[in-house]
Amino acid sequence: MNPYLPIRKVPLDYNGISSSAFAVQMQHEGDTDKIPEWKEAGVVGHNYLLIDNDGVRKAANQVAEECNLTFTHDKTFFNGRSYAYSMRSDHVCGEVAQNDDVALGMQFWNSYDGSKAFGFAMMLYRLVCTNGMMSKDHFNTYRFKHQPSNENWEESLEQVVSNINNLSNGSQNLDDLIKNLRSLNNLEVTTNELGRIRHKYIKDIPVQLWGKIVDLYTDPHNHIPHNGWSLLNTATDLLWHKENPTVSSYGQNATIVDGLCRAVA
């Protein structure tokens, strides 16, 4: 599905009675006569900051160009309503195990149904497999308040660039995250420990997902050490490289990363 089709926001009404809500519509190519037609992608309030996904992508690339790190595009997610644009950097911010480095990344998001406001957050990448690791405990989120056409837009981008540059120089939250990842690498995950982690720290993820993680984690053909770092990587590999990810995939990623880090904090 093309995330960069034209969009428009039109008022809703019923029998001539206007609503305070607006429909967000995307322009699609017609099925038969090839005449473009508008299809609803979501409904938002009057004050919702609506920006097209191409504007979000341009903002992400502008931030990447202006900050001190080198970022490259990793992946794009779009399900017809929600959008995410992920980029990874070459900035190694820590070594979890020997020859197993993690680097900074960032993700911008947007939605046409009001479910996810235009914003961004930093993240980590495990470089040996490019697994993305989200965290709500260790990385702050930034919500944009202005559109690119607004006079305050450049000020908003400067704030984002400043945040990234400051983080690249080190922060307590980032140091704590790296420390926790190293502790996970030293945590032996026995059957009892697996149960403790599941039922105390990541009990909110669905049983079906947990079953897939444990199935991969315990597969003797994978030849991985049974420690907390391997468990985390099994989960993030499954979620980050899914052929058909969902919005929930990103939230579950953060839930697992943060939950495992709390288990050793």
Side-chain angles (χ1 to χ4, degrees):
M1 183 180 297
N2 184 359
Y4 305 114
L5 296 173
I7 62 168
R8 67 183 183 185
K9 186 168 73 172
V10 297
L12 294 175
D13 67 87
Y14 178 74
N15 288 340
I17 301 175
S18 297
S19 169
S20 59
F22 286 75
V24 178
Q25 300 175 344
M26 292 185 67
Q27 189 180 49
H28 296 260
E29 188 176 81
D31 296 331
T32 55
D33 52 13
K34 301 301 181 181
I35 297 177
E37 58 181 338
W38 293 93
K39 296 182 180 180
E40 186 174 295
V43 176
V44 298
H46 173 73
N47 294 323
Y48 181 69
L49 177 60
L50 180 67
I51 179 171
D52 61 83
N53 292 331
D54 188 51
V56 177
R57 177 175 61 173
K58 290 177 179 176
N61 288 324
Q62 183 176 344
V63 167
E65 290 175 1
E66 294 181 4
C67 71
N68 295 335
L69 307 182
T70 299
F71 283 93
T72 56
H73 173 246
D74 176 42
K75 63 191 305 181
T76 299
F77 166 81
F78 183 61
N79 64 0
R81 300 171 301 279
S82 299
Y83 172 84
Y85 189 83
S86 305
M87 307 183 79
R88 65 173 181 262
S89 77
D90 60 355
H91 180 77
V92 174
C93 55
E95 183 183 62
V96 178
Q98 186 175 4
N99 299 320
D100 197 349
D101 297 331
V102 291
L104 287 175
M106 61 181 177
Q107 185 179 83
F108 285 71
W109 56 78
N110 189 41
S111 75
Y112 291 159
D113 62 356
S115 60
K116 192 75 171 177
F118 175 30
F120 108 105
M122 298 300 293
M123 54 181 291
L124 287 184
Y125 276 91
R126 185 189 186 204
L127 293 182
V128 296
C129 58
T130 65
N131 288 352
M133 290 178 281
M134 317 292 294
S135 174
K136 295 180 180 178
D137 286 353
H138 297 90
F139 294 120
N140 296 324
T141 58
Y142 182 92
R143 180 174 175 178
F144 289 93
K145 300 178 181 179
H146 306 290
Q147 295 190 20
S149 58
N150 189 283
E151 62 181 5
N152 294 316
W153 175 247
E154 290 299 327
E155 182 179 331
S156 297
L157 286 191
E158 287 176 5
Q159 181 62 54
V160 171
V161 171
S162 177
N163 290 345
I164 295 173
N165 289 338
N166 289 338
L167 184 61
S168 68
N169 293 324
S171 74
Q172 187 61 53
N173 282 345
L174 180 58
D175 292 343
D176 288 344
L177 176 55
I178 301 298
K179 178 182 177 181
N180 289 337
L181 297 181
R182 289 170 179 159
S183 295
L184 283 170
N185 188 57
N186 295 323
L187 175 68
E188 181 183 4
V189 179
T190 62
T191 302
N192 288 339
E193 183 63 23
L194 198 63
R196 184 184 78 92
I197 289 171
R198 163 60 171 165
H199 294 287
K200 185 173 182 178
Y201 296 102
I202 51 176
K203 59 183 178 181
D204 293 332
I205 67 170
V207 172
Q208 184 180 22
L209 173 59
W210 176 248
K212 291 180 180 179
I213 294 170
V214 173
D215 183 61
L216 290 170
Y217 177 71
T218 57
D219 186 345
H221 297 96
N222 288 334
H223 303 292
I224 58 175
H226 284 173
N227 59 39
W229 178 233
S230 294
L231 180 61
L232 184 150
N233 287 311
T234 300
T236 55
D237 182 74
L238 177 66
L239 291 167
W240 193 256
H241 298 295
K242 285 179 68 174
E243 184 176 350
N244 296 302
T246 65
V247 175
S248 298
S249 301
Y250 296 108
Q252 290 162 352
N253 185 309
T255 296
I256 291 169
V257 171
D258 288 337
L260 285 169
C261 285
R262 290 179 199 141
V264 294

